[in-house]
Amino acid sequence: VVEHLERLALVDFGGPEAVARLERAVAVADRLRAVDTDGVQPLESVLEDRCLYLRSDNVVEGNCAEELLRNSHRVVEEYFVAPPGNISLPKLDEQEPFSPS
Amino acid sequence: MLGRTLREVSAALKQGQITPTELCQKCLSLIKKTKFLNAYITVSEDVALKQAEESEERYKKGYVPPYNATVVQKLLDQGALLMGKTNLDEFAMGSGSTDGVFGPVKNPWSYSKQYREKRKQKPHGENEETNWLIAGGSSGGSAAAVSAFTCFAALGSDTGGSTRNPAAHCGVVGLKPSYGLVSRHGLIPLVNSMDVPGILTRCVDDAATVLGVLAGHDCKDSTTVQDPVQSFILPSLTDVSKLCIGIPKEYLVPELSSEVQSLWSKAAKLFESEGAKVIEVSLPHTSYSIVCYLVLCTSEVASNMARFDGLEYGHRCDIKVSTEAMYAATRREGFNDVVRGRILSGNFFILKENYENYFIKAQKVRRLIANDFVNVFNSGVDVLLTPTTLSEAVPYMEFIKEDNRTRSAQGDIFTQAVNMAGLPAVSVPMALSSQGLPVGLQFIGRAFCDQQLLTVAKWFEKQVQFPVIQLQEIMGDCSSVFENDLASVSLKQ
């Protein structure tokens, strides 16, 4: 499960303390079982009785590519540069030990 | 590097291939070597190096927002002066403002005459620098800024109590508006269904004034309601006999400090003695609120934090192997333990096999919690009165003995259910504890009845006359700050 979560979250546990912390959090969360929720609908938004505002589909702003590109570390002309995709993270035992910087 | 063009070297600086200081030093050393050319009559080495340092700071800052949050823009449009950005717990996760990358926030009351007189142990001893108190969180920087008179109002965020908690600890007013009243456009989302921008001021009237500026539909935030904006000018209540104050019995928990409890009782009696109806009410699912919050908050966080991958903005790790590896490393470096912990917990709760039992279950419990409030308000209660925090502010050294999740659960205990239900709530400072520290109480109102809530809060504020913080010792001669002849100023509406 630990490996699965690390892969999904793209964030690592960084040690056994973090795993222990998760176990404690789950133990706390388990207390929800004691509540009787038969026939209760999940609440997604307190504004569920209202109609969501939809604005008309017209372009009113934008054209700020330069400003947005400015915040990125690696940019080539008008593109954000990313390392190659579609390569899975190595499995736990294949990984090199990470030394915290 | 020195032979490159201006554009090329600028790009290199941006990408971190060379730092401004390194570049400056290269130029300076070459200037020295070519002294025989007699091209320079003055070499401003010190100035150049200082400017290089400043330039480095600017590069380090990384993210410069390309737009203003709606709430910020609204204030600027009304002529407000932006004094700066305040400190907080990283990504608003915490209740002490101790877990941010810029370091912890110190509660101004740590330096107040009122607190120091009560301590007496070592009035000017070495204990002082290490024994300072937390400001509360997560919007502690904003609360401290207002409390120390450095500004007249500050914005925070409130998802579980993050504006009200530090307000109580710093002796200021902390308002959480009704969900849907104030735009969240530009507020980095933590829990989209609970977040609201918070308002911190030194008095209730000021909070109402700011709310008047900020409230209203924003087409950039579709979760803002389209109701016409009401006025937030607060009448001065003189007669509270028609008011019904509810005291939720489940909020009397064993962890509540006896001092806060007695102040809470005193406040209830105050309303009663002035003719208001004060009754005990029940919010049966209160004890599950924190658990519910744990699941919903972490689950939403898992999703909301996914945008921080280092690609379009922010910190980025120099890994070229694969996108996923780069994301993982960037996020490991960029997020602190608290944030990473919540992301991982959240991902656990939304795993396919857990989704129904944890996330959906929590959403159902949320409805029960929200319904508890609806039932109480339907029974004729106008406003609820509860403590804001379990006790007054504690010393930082004490606070860090427990982990963030434990402290958050304790800090949010009275404030968090309000976010579940999307109701308005305000923390008003009531009195000083026996240690000379502020204690605040919380008023909770009906949805979109923010004006009524603040009216009651304003009446209470006038009754209790909370003392002004005395910071003269550390502020030197700032007597002008404390001049109180505003009574003679008439406010033109």
Side-chain angles (χ1 to χ4, degrees):
Chain A
V1 175
V2 166
E3 198 183 316
H4 188 42
L5 286 176
E6 287 193 339
R7 216 172 268 276
L8 283 174
L10 283 179
V11 151
D12 72 333
F13 275 86
E17 324 82 46
V19 180
R21 241 181 277 149
L22 174 63
E23 285 174 347
R24 280 199 299 272
V26 175
V28 170
D30 280 337
R31 280 164 41 191
L32 284 178
R33 291 170 204 259
V35 186
D36 178 13
T37 52
D38 277 340
V40 180
Q41 288 300 306
L43 180 72
E44 278 172 13
S45 167
V46 295
L47 302 176
E48 60 187 0
D49 293 335
R50 293 171 185 257
C51 202
L52 193 70
Y53 169 75
L54 293 175
R55 64 177 176 86
S56 52
D57 193 10
N58 297 321
V59 175
V60 289
E61 59 176 11
N63 238 334
C64 51
E66 238 187 76
E67 275 186 272
L68 295 175
L69 290 166
R70 214 178 288 163
N71 277 316
S72 173
H73 281 252
R74 216 140 286 169
V75 160
V76 167
E77 296 189 9
E78 292 209 321
Y79 295 91
F80 293 114
V81 178
N86 259 334
I87 300 172
S88 309
L89 284 176
K91 292 211 177 292
L92 260 172
D93 44 19
E94 292 168 22
Q95 268 176 15
E96 276 171 28
F98 173 72
S99 51
S101 46
Chain B
M1 188 62 65
L2 295 183
R4 304 265 194 99
T5 67
L6 186 59
R7 290 197 82 178
E8 286 171 332
V9 84
S10 183
L13 282 167
K14 269 201 155 182
Q15 288 171 15
Q17 286 172 28
I18 187 168
T19 70
T21 307
E22 284 168 352
L23 187 59
C24 183
Q25 276 164 348
K26 278 188 200 260
C27 290
L28 285 170
S29 110
L30 197 53
I31 288 176
K32 284 196 183 99
K33 286 197 193 136
T34 55
K35 202 166 170 189
F36 59 91
L37 293 173
N38 223 1
Y40 282 81
I41 56 171
T42 306
V43 179
S44 48
E45 182 168 336
D46 293 330
V47 172
L49 283 171
K50 181 161 190 298
Q51 289 174 330
E53 238 184 77
E54 286 167 9
S55 172
E56 264 187 50
E57 283 306 308
R58 288 194 294 270
Y59 278 109
K60 259 191 233 156
K61 269 175 189 137
Y63 184 66
V64 177
Y67 66 99
N68 284 332
T70 298
V71 290
V72 172
Q73 194 59 52
K74 280 187 159 180
L75 287 171
L76 295 175
D77 289 345
Q78 289 294 314
L81 300 179
L82 179 67
M83 302 311 299
K85 299 188 190 185
T86 48
N87 203 352
L88 70 164
D89 280 305
E90 186 164 308
F91 284 111
M93 299 187 196
S95 63
S97 299
T98 52
D99 286 320
V101 72
F102 294 99
V105 178
K106 298 180 184 173
N107 191 330
W109 284 84
S110 319
Y111 306 98
S112 68
K113 191 165 167 208
Q114 290 106 326
Y115 178 60
R116 286 185 165 179
E117 272 177 357
K118 299 285 180 174
R119 277 177 59 69
K120 281 228 168 95
Q121 292 172 334
K122 283 182 185 180
H124 295 288
E126 63 272 19
N127 264 345
E128 281 184 346
E129 249 327 285
T130 49
N131 244 328
W132 52 271
L133 310 154
I134 58 160
S138 61
S139 301
S142 297
V146 171
S147 173
F149 301 99
T150 63
C151 61
F152 293 90
L155 292 177
S157 71
D158 196 311
T159 306
S162 293
T163 291
R164 293 161 282 156
N165 175 297
H169 285 321
C170 291
V172 298
V173 173
L175 171 62
K176 176 213 168 290
S178 297
Y179 180 86
L181 190 59
V182 179
S183 173
R184 291 182 299 111
H185 175 74
L187 174 68
I188 297 183
L190 190 63
V191 182
N192 298 67
S193 62
M194 295 186 213
D195 295 342
V196 294
I199 297 170
L200 293 137
T201 55
R202 288 192 285 279
C203 69
V204 176
D205 260 333
D206 284 354
T209 305
V210 178
L211 183 61
V213 171
L214 299 184
H217 177 70
D218 180 18
C219 60
K220 292 182 185 172
D221 176 1
S222 58
T223 60
T224 51
V225 299
Q226 292 163 264
D227 301 347
V229 180
Q230 44 166 166
S231 154
F232 291 102
I233 296 174
L234 304 179
S236 292
L237 258 189
T238 42
D239 173 25
V240 293
S241 59
K242 297 194 185 65
L243 212 55
C244 179
I245 306 287
I247 309 284
K249 64 181 185 189
E250 291 86 1
Y251 280 53
L252 182 61
V253 295
E255 300 88 349
L256 181 62
S257 90
S258 52
E259 272 199 282
V260 177
Q261 185 182 344
S262 93
L263 284 171
W264 185 21
S265 288
K266 197 168 163 192
K269 291 201 185 82
L270 171 66
F271 277 99
E272 214 165 30
S273 71
E274 293 294 319
K277 187 170 160 202
V278 179
I279 56 171
E280 190 190 71
V281 295
S282 175
L283 298 169
H285 295 92
T286 299
S287 62
Y288 293 103
S289 187
I290 280 288
V291 183
C292 189
Y293 182 67
L294 168 75
V295 175
L296 292 179
C297 176
T298 53
S299 301
E300 291 241 17
V301 158
S303 168
N304 278 322
M305 296 294 128
R307 70 195 72 194
F308 299 108
D309 54 22
L311 206 53
E312 299 97 339
Y313 46 77
H315 175 73
R316 174 176 175 150
C317 209
D318 193 17
I319 290 203
K320 300 186 178 71
V321 169
S322 72
T323 327
E324 298 218 352
M326 187 277 276
Y327 289 171
T330 296
R331 289 155 68 82
R332 175 194 299 137
E333 286 181 9
F335 290 144
N336 71 10
D337 285 345
V338 175
V339 179
R340 280 168 30 217
R342 292 201 192 187
I343 293 173
L344 289 163
S345 300
N347 274 98
F348 177 84
F349 296 130
I350 56 180
L351 286 175
K352 245 188 284 194
E353 64 261 31
N354 292 332
Y355 194 73
E356 190 69 40
N357 293 330
Y358 289 95
F359 186 70
I360 298 289
K361 180 81 180 180
Q363 285 191 317
K364 292 180 180 177
V365 175
R366 181 179 178 181
R367 184 178 293 281
L368 294 174
I369 293 168
N371 283 347
D372 281 355
F373 282 102
V374 169
N375 293 337
V376 162
F377 285 122
N378 278 347
S379 72
V381 170
D382 295 305
V383 161
L384 294 168
L385 171 62
T386 78
T388 309
T389 53
L390 288 170
S391 71
E392 77 264 279
V394 297
Y396 173 73
M397 299 308 284
E398 268 286 317
F399 187 79
I400 54 175
K401 285 183 188 161
E402 295 274 3
D403 74 25
N404 183 284
R405 188 183 58 77
T406 312
R407 287 303 188 201
S408 293
Q410 295 165 343
D412 291 345
I413 194 168
F414 299 123
T415 50
Q416 189 277 115
V418 169
N419 297 79
M420 291 274 170
L423 301 172
V426 60
S427 177
V428 181
M430 178 176 177
L432 295 183
S433 70
S434 58
Q435 287 198 72
L437 296 174
V439 173
L441 292 185
Q442 173 179 239
F443 293 93
I444 305 171
R446 291 198 185 112
F448 300 105
C449 294
D450 301 55
Q451 198 224 26
Q452 182 193 41
L453 171 72
L454 290 171
T455 303
V456 174
K458 178 173 159 177
W459 179 89
F460 180 71
E461 173 186 65
K462 187 153 183 234
Q463 297 293 314
V464 299
Q465 297 283 302
F466 181 75
V468 176
I469 182 176
Q470 284 161 32
L471 289 170
Q472 289 96 320
E473 277 173 35
I474 59 158
M475 280 162 76
D477 179 31
C478 294
S479 48
S480 58
V481 174
F482 302 102
E483 265 162 29
N484 255 333
D485 51 5
L486 289 178
S488 56
V489 175
S490 65
L491 295 169
K492 292 204 188 107
Q493 302 274 326

